[in-house]
Structure formats: C-alpha cells, structure tokens
Amino acid sequence: MSGEVSPTGQRADPGSPPDVRASHADRDRVVDVLRIAAGDGLLTADELDERVEAALSARTRRELAALTADLPPVSATTGATVAEVKDVVRIDQVHSGPVERTGRWVVPRRLELAVTYCEVTLDFTDAVITHDTLRIDVAMTGKTLTLVTRPGIVVDTDALHLVHSRITYRGTPARPGAPVVLRVELVGQKAHGRVVVRPPRRTLGQWLRRGPA
C-alpha cells in the first residue's frame, strides 16, 4: 500500500496510523476542499451538503479522507492550497490606480477596503472560494465598487450605509441545483460613487446566441 489519502486529497505518510482522531482543524480543512470542489462544479449542491455534514461529524482522519478521495488534489484544481488562504486582507489606497482582484485569486474570510477615489473591482468569476462567507468592511469614498458574481454567489448589502451613493444590483441567473458557495456581506460605509453587483459581461458570440456569460 502506498499510504492513505489525506483529508486534503494528498497521499498521507505510509507510516501514519490509520485511525487517528480528527481535530477541528482537520474537519475545517476538508470542508474548505469540498467548497472549492463545489465551486469548480465537481460536486452538486446535494453532494456538498451531504459531505459537509459528514465532515463535521467525522471522528477520525480516515473518515475525512474518504470524503475527498474521488476529488483532485487542491493544488491541481485551484492552483493554490488551503494553507495560502488568509483570514484578513486589507486594501488601503488613496487617489491612485484601480484596485482589481480577477482570475484565480484566493478569497479571504474578511476583506478590509479602505479606499479613497479609486475604482475597485472584485471579480468572483474564477476566484478560489474556500469559505462560505466573505465579509467586506467598506470604508470607501468616490468612484465605483464593482462585484462580478457567478451562479452560487449572493451579495448582501443590507448593512452597507450609503452617503450620496447608490447600488445597482443585477443578480446572476442561478442554474438549477447550483449550490450557494459564497455569501458576500458588505458592511460599513460607501460615500459618493456607486456600488455595482453584476454577472460577467457576455462575449460577442454569447450576445449573438443570446446566451449567458
């Protein structure tokens, strides 16, 4: 035998005991991997719910390993590891170029946005999502805060205080059975400018076919 599969989808050390008790950190890591897999379309909403419930109640690492045994390793599916995920990221910028997070960027648990007169774009289309909630603490004046969503991502703006500002919300059409992989909570204050929540822009071919982005 070449060793068991670890809770994150990697091969475990052949000499490790097979029935080691799982810690809270072990369970959290597996839940992160499952959410990434769901975001990449590898798990359905029902499969995600079932496996997350099993992970949270697992007693041993062997039980956890079974939940990710049929999934590619995290590094192969996302280009990043769960260890690279940061709890808090702060963006502090004044009167400078645009702030952009696009492509396979790793979404933290919390984002502190302290920006004055700079455009901000957070594109979740291909983002690596490892948590079910992202809290964005907004302290932004001027320009536009744009959030580009995809099916399975919802944005809550109820706790955001607007001062001479407005919100344009165009939700992303949800596919049947698509899991809610991320809830974005905007809190704090946006003064002047706009907040825009929209789906990805369609290509010329998609426009001609009247298809979604």
Side-chain angles (χ1 to χ4, degrees):
M1 295 289 289
S2 58
E4 291 188 31
V5 178
S6 74
T8 57
Q10 306 284 1
R11 286 288 172 184
D13 183 350
S16 61
D19 288 315
V20 173
R21 286 279 180 169
S23 66
H24 290 311
D26 292 330
R27 298 184 187 95
D28 289 343
R29 280 192 291 270
V30 170
V31 170
D32 287 343
V33 172
L34 294 173
R35 293 193 187 282
I36 291 174
D40 285 344
L42 299 175
L43 296 175
T44 66
D46 289 341
E47 289 173 327
L48 175 61
D49 290 343
E50 181 181 342
R51 296 195 190 195
V52 167
E53 183 178 352
L56 295 177
S57 61
R59 291 177 298 175
T60 68
R61 290 186 177 179
R62 172 176 285 182
E63 293 175 59
L64 291 175
L67 300 173
T68 59
D70 61 341
L71 301 175
V74 172
S75 58
T77 59
T78 68
T81 63
V82 174
E84 293 173 341
V85 179
K86 296 181 179 180
D87 279 341
V88 182
V89 171
R90 182 176 177 83
I91 299 175
D92 200 335
Q93 204 156 304
V94 178
H95 292 285
S96 59
V99 176
E100 295 183 343
R101 294 293 185 271
T102 61
R104 303 290 286 178
W105 65 288
V106 181
V107 178
R109 291 183 186 272
R110 184 157 63 92
L111 179 62
E112 296 178 351
L113 200 58
V115 178
T116 302
Y117 285 98
C118 302
E119 295 279 350
V120 178
T121 300
L122 305 176
D123 189 341
F124 296 95
T125 306
D126 297 311
V128 178
I129 298 170
T130 61
H131 312 299
D132 59 356
T133 303
L134 166 63
R135 175 189 167 109
I136 302 180
D137 293 316
V138 180
M140 183 175 175
T141 301
K143 301 290 185 177
T144 302
L145 169 60
T146 301
L147 283 72
V148 183
T149 61
R150 70 184 192 217
I153 296 178
V154 296
V155 179
D156 183 353
T157 61
D158 290 347
L160 183 63
H161 180 57
L162 301 177
V163 178
H164 300 296
S165 184
R166 61 189 177 91
I167 297 175
T168 302
Y169 196 119
R170 290 188 289 125
T172 303
R175 294 188 299 266
V180 175
V181 296
L182 179 66
R183 179 182 180 84
V184 181
E185 298 176 349
L186 296 179
V187 301
Q189 178 173 291
K190 176 70 172 76
H192 306 284
R194 295 189 302 155
V195 177
V196 176
V197 180
R198 63 168 178 82
R201 300 193 188 283
R202 289 186 288 183
T203 65
L204 177 59
Q206 289 166 339
W207 271 107
L208 294 176
R209 297 192 305 269
R210 299 293 191 273

